[in-house]
Amino acid sequence: MAATRYELGIDAAKLDAIDMHVHLEVDGHGHESLPHALTEASAKYFKAEDRTPSLDRIAEVYRGLNMAAVVFTVDARTQLKHEPNSIPELIAGAARNNDVLIPFGSVDPRTGAEAIQGAKHQAIDLGARGFKFHPSLQGFDPSSEQFYPLWETLQELGLPAIFHTGQNGMGAGLPGGYGIKLAYSNPLLLDAVAADFPELQIIMAHPSVPWQDEANSIASHKANVFIDLSGWSPKYFPESLVKAANSYLQDKVLFGTDFPLITPQKWLGAFADLPLKDEVRPKILKGNAVRLLGLGS
């Protein structure tokens, strides 16, 4: 049977918001994307109520909120010695819910040529609309020229890439952080990628604590770099990020939750209390994502 290909079915004009950062952590066969120790530790760290909702449940949540969501998993098979949950199944599920879900693919950069072929397959054959990477979880330095052929491929495909930056909830509180190294998530490593691949749209995921000033600088310097606001309640955002989002980065900042670790309702409740200009809020919640993802009419 041929794999289901995703086709966009979203009417952005009718939506209230677009969440740029939603995880699918389990597939239809019950296989989880992470080793169980990491799943348990992250649920405790974020105090998540439901750590592994199904794709259809995710769609139901966002449909009920009149929002769309970018959904993905992370392929970290080399570092974690654990197979990811099914990406073709994720994309097929997004196709089934294409009024609210936008699928991003993922490949393990450490698999070399296999990653490049996988990215092409996910994008061209399956219809993935972008890619997700987690340098710390996947155990690689994105600025290493070893991975440049992959970034060249993504640039040629014309699809954006989300990279985890900053502090890691994954492995938090475990001995040695489960071997996860924070330095790979320093946003400065993405500056080289953005400079050498100027047509590759790069989204730095999360407030990049403890490197927020670096992230602000990169996003302001590189036209092809954005910041998503996922993984933190807005009440804990660094002051420099709030000020930048309210002024010179107002067209470069994107709404994101990290659902199911943080719910849209909790995130939006705290976001309402931020001292942002009225004209900036809709850009963050939807306008910037519409432009970046090419969802406009």
Side-chain angles (χ1 to χ4, degrees):
M1 182 182 297
T4 301
R5 190 179 194 281
Y6 177 85
E7 299 291 344
L8 190 68
I10 286 172
D11 185 348
K14 295 182 178 179
L15 296 173
D16 292 330
I18 298 171
D19 188 336
M20 287 293 301
H21 201 111
V22 173
H23 289 268
L24 177 69
E25 302 286 15
V26 63
D27 63 25
H29 301 91
H31 179 70
E32 295 184 352
S33 63
L34 299 169
H36 193 64
L38 279 180
T39 301
E40 278 195 331
S42 61
K44 181 179 179 180
Y45 180 82
F46 284 97
K47 300 180 176 64
E49 297 173 5
D50 181 2
R51 186 67 180 81
T52 55
S54 69
L55 197 81
D56 289 326
R57 174 57 185 156
I58 292 172
E60 181 181 304
V61 167
Y62 282 86
R63 195 174 287 119
L65 294 169
N66 195 37
M67 298 180 186
V70 171
V71 291
F72 45 71
T73 189
V74 177
D75 184 342
R77 66 185 69 194
T78 303
Q79 179 67 20
L80 299 181
K81 298 177 176 56
H82 180 90
E83 289 292 311
N85 48 321
S86 172
I87 294 171
E89 184 181 296
L90 182 156
I91 295 174
R96 188 170 63 245
N97 295 283
N98 72 342
D99 60 317
V100 291
L101 298 184
I102 303 167
F104 274 31
S106 185
V107 294
D108 182 349
R110 291 169 65 182
T111 61
E114 181 183 343
I116 292 172
Q117 289 306 118
K120 290 178 179 178
H121 171 64
Q122 291 174 27
I124 297 169
D125 301 326
L126 302 183
R129 304 281 297 194
F131 287 87
K132 170 66 192 308
F133 299 95
H134 194 311
S136 289
L137 193 67
Q138 293 172 306
F140 79 102
D141 175 352
S143 70
S144 170
E145 293 190 4
Q146 172 185 351
F147 306 109
Y148 271 30
L150 178 56
W151 311 146
E152 179 68 35
T153 297
L154 299 192
Q155 181 171 253
E156 291 172 356
L157 290 168
L159 295 176
I162 297 176
F163 289 84
H164 176 99
T165 65
Q167 169 71 1
N168 275 262
M170 295 298 106
L174 295 177
Y178 206 81
I180 293 169
K181 297 175 180 177
L182 300 180
Y184 289 143
S185 292
N186 188 326
L188 277 175
L189 299 178
L190 296 173
D191 184 62
V193 180
D196 292 337
F197 300 94
E199 300 305 315
L200 175 62
Q201 304 299 302
I202 293 172
I203 303 161
M204 298 186 294
H206 318 308
S208 299
V209 175
W211 303 291
Q212 191 59 59
D213 288 342
E214 287 89 335
N216 294 348
S217 178
I218 296 164
S220 66
H221 186 254
K222 303 290 191 296
N224 53 319
V225 176
F226 299 77
I227 296 173
D228 88 33
L229 300 175
S230 66
W232 292 65
S233 168
K235 64 185 176 182
Y236 299 122
F237 285 175
E239 183 179 1
S240 67
L241 175 59
V242 176
K243 288 183 175 179
N246 206 29
S247 55
Y248 64 92
L249 289 184
Q250 63 182 272
D251 296 318
K252 308 292 290 291
V253 175
L254 306 155
F255 164 46
T257 59
D258 225 3
F259 185 79
L261 298 171
I262 298 174
T263 68
Q265 296 92 327
K266 287 183 178 179
W267 193 98
L268 289 168
F271 181 71
D273 293 331
L274 291 183
L276 296 174
K277 300 171 186 173
D278 290 343
E279 63 269 25
V280 168
R281 292 182 185 276
K283 290 183 177 184
I284 294 174
L285 291 176
K286 187 176 81 168
N288 295 338
V290 168
R291 187 178 73 256
L292 175 62
L293 296 174
L295 302 180
S297 56

